[in-house]
Amino acid sequence: MMRIGVPKETKTEEYRVALTPEGAQVLVEAGHPVTVERGAGEGSGFSDEVYRSAGARLGSAAEAWDGQLVLKVKEPQPAEYGFLRGQIVFTYFHLAATPRALLHTLLETRTTAVAYETLGDKVGGLPLLAPMSGVAGNMATLMGAYYLACFNGGRGTLLANVLDIGYGKVVIIGDGVVGQHAAQRACAMKTEVAMAGLSRERGEQLKEKFGPTFRYFLSTPEAIAAEIADADLVVGAVLVPGARAPYVVSEAMVQTMPQGSVIVDVSIDQGGCVETSHPTTHGDPVFVRHDVIHYCVANMPGAYPRAATLALTRETLPSIRKLAAEGLASFVVDPGAARAVNTYQGWITYPAVAEAWEMKERYRDLKELLS
């Protein structure tokens, strides 16, 4: 038995919740007491009464954080650091790009940080990152199309098929889940799509999948610079699991883009892949640099919380059940699951996080620590 807590998210305009009522019921029926902070599910359309009916206990933030296993959507915010006391916290951490103070607090409190975004599967995928990446990829094209409108300061290009003629050009940098969902949405609009990636074989597969308006090119600085010079929308979809995203679009490249064009940097959760990017919020989502509109919301799927929460719980629940039933040791026998553990007992246990913060002296292998 493990006590499980579900606090209400406190990040600005974050309406998701880490566990649906159905998920809570599964855990309760397995013998794990679940405490949900009052109001935690309201933003996703789940009332307190529905959680109560599922067998969960309703409580305060402190009571939810008192769980041995705390489930969240976004990394703990500064106001929540005082709740960290050595428990297991399972959430999207993005520790290579979040404030250094969070990592410091996790280490000082000996809190175990288990990160959705670095949990791997047997084929090298990131199953807990995938559902939110899919939402963000779809959003990237839709938000880009919206901000291209003249009333938003955009250049006035409609990403659409009008009387069998496609308009606009979308450049997508990255061919993973985010990039593919953004491309799928853009190709459905019959606009020109150029995607940067690192695999010719992947390119051939995607060209067959997306059709005649889709092109794939190998990602080099020269090729990216040439493609974005006449792009209406650029989607940054670069991911190095658990590490800070590299800048693949320089400020000099941004300066060559058309006036009123749009950049949607989905990689902003990991620091951003565009040199001119910085995190924004749903309440203030865009800024302009070099006459180019930048949309860099760090929690994009939070705009569609009900769909995002349902998709997230569907993917996380098997790992939550395993963690609650068997403890952290169960993760070590699975190399993919073990990669989800970013900090443990005052040590950094994910190499890319230690490298990002130049704290290699605080890194220890998880198996070594547990043995």
Side-chain angles (χ1 to χ4, degrees):
M1 181 191 77
M2 185 176 285
R3 298 192 318 277
I4 298 172
V6 184
K8 184 175 182 178
E9 296 299 315
T10 61
K11 189 178 181 73
T12 302
E13 294 175 285
E14 177 55 71
Y15 304 108
R16 290 172 289 179
V17 63
L19 189 69
T20 62
E22 290 80 4
Q25 183 173 348
V26 168
L27 295 171
V28 170
E29 290 176 348
H32 308 293
V34 176
T35 300
V36 178
E37 182 180 350
R38 294 181 185 88
E42 288 177 353
S44 296
F46 302 118
S47 68
D48 287 348
E49 184 54 42
V50 176
Y51 281 104
R52 185 182 288 110
S53 297
R57 174 179 175 269
L58 299 174
S60 65
E63 289 171 320
W65 276 98
D66 191 47
Q68 297 164 292
L69 170 61
V70 175
L71 308 177
K72 281 180 54 58
V73 178
K74 295 301 291 182
E75 73 280 357
Q77 302 300 294
E80 297 173 306
Y81 291 178
F83 290 125
L84 297 172
R85 48 163 189 78
Q87 68 274 70
I88 300 172
V89 181
F90 199 14
T91 189
Y92 289 115
F93 273 103
H94 301 289
L95 287 175
T98 48
R100 187 186 186 98
L102 172 57
L103 179 58
H104 177 77
T105 304
L106 291 168
L107 297 178
E108 290 301 305
T109 59
R110 300 168 68 86
T111 296
T112 300
V114 185
Y116 295 152
E117 72 274 7
T118 57
L119 188 147
D121 59 22
K122 294 180 180 179
V123 295
L126 300 170
L128 305 191
L129 187 61
M132 298 303 98
S133 295
V135 173
N138 277 288
M139 282 185 66
T141 300
L142 295 175
M143 292 297 104
Y146 176 74
Y147 282 101
L148 280 168
C150 280
F151 59 77
N152 287 320
R155 68 185 308 218
T157 302
L158 178 65
L159 303 181
N161 178 13
V162 180
L163 297 176
D164 295 325
I165 297 176
Y167 292 89
K169 178 182 178 181
V170 178
V171 176
I172 300 168
I173 304 171
D175 60 8
V177 176
V178 170
Q180 290 187 43
H181 278 77
Q184 184 176 39
R185 181 63 54 197
C187 287
M189 297 172 171
K190 305 299 182 184
T191 191
E192 178 188 354
V193 177
M195 175 182 281
L198 300 173
S199 168
R200 292 184 186 277
E201 182 180 358
R202 172 77 66 89
E204 291 301 317
Q205 295 170 349
L206 294 178
K207 185 175 181 180
E208 183 176 343
K209 177 180 179 179
F210 292 130
T213 65
F214 177 86
R215 291 187 293 111
Y216 188 95
F217 65 95
L218 292 182
S219 182
T220 66
E222 296 78 14
I224 291 172
E227 290 288 354
I228 71 173
D230 63 347
D232 296 290
L233 169 62
V234 172
V235 176
V238 174
L239 174 68
V240 180
R244 201 187 192 290
Y247 291 142
V248 296
V249 176
S250 67
E251 184 167 3
M253 292 180 192
V254 174
Q255 289 175 303
T256 71
M257 292 177 62
Q259 180 178 351
S261 56
V262 178
I263 292 172
V264 178
D265 193 350
V266 184
S267 301
I268 199 66
D269 272 336
Q270 291 290 143
C273 66
V274 179
E275 189 175 10
T276 48
S277 293
H278 64 72
T280 62
T281 66
H282 289 296
D284 188 15
V286 298
F287 62 91
V288 178
R289 286 288 302 276
H290 304 302
D291 295 321
V292 176
I293 298 169
H294 292 59
Y295 179 99
C296 305
V297 176
N299 60 326
M300 289 176 65
Y304 300 96
R306 187 171 181 87
T309 293
L310 289 168
L312 181 62
T313 297
R314 184 171 60 247
E315 298 300 326
T316 59
L317 191 57
S319 295
I320 294 168
R321 293 181 67 181
K322 186 177 183 66
L323 197 54
E326 303 174 31
L328 195 66
S330 66
F331 270 42
V332 179
V333 298
D334 180 343
R339 288 197 294 273
V341 184
N342 282 204
T343 69
Y344 176 72
Q345 293 295 305
W347 295 94
I348 299 170
T349 53
Y350 195 84
V353 173
E355 183 177 347
W357 292 109
E358 299 181 348
M359 296 175 64
K360 293 183 179 180
E361 74 283 357
R362 295 298 300 270
Y363 171 78
R364 291 280 295 276
D365 181 79
L366 179 63
K367 285 186 178 180
E368 178 186 336
L369 291 170
L370 285 171
S371 65

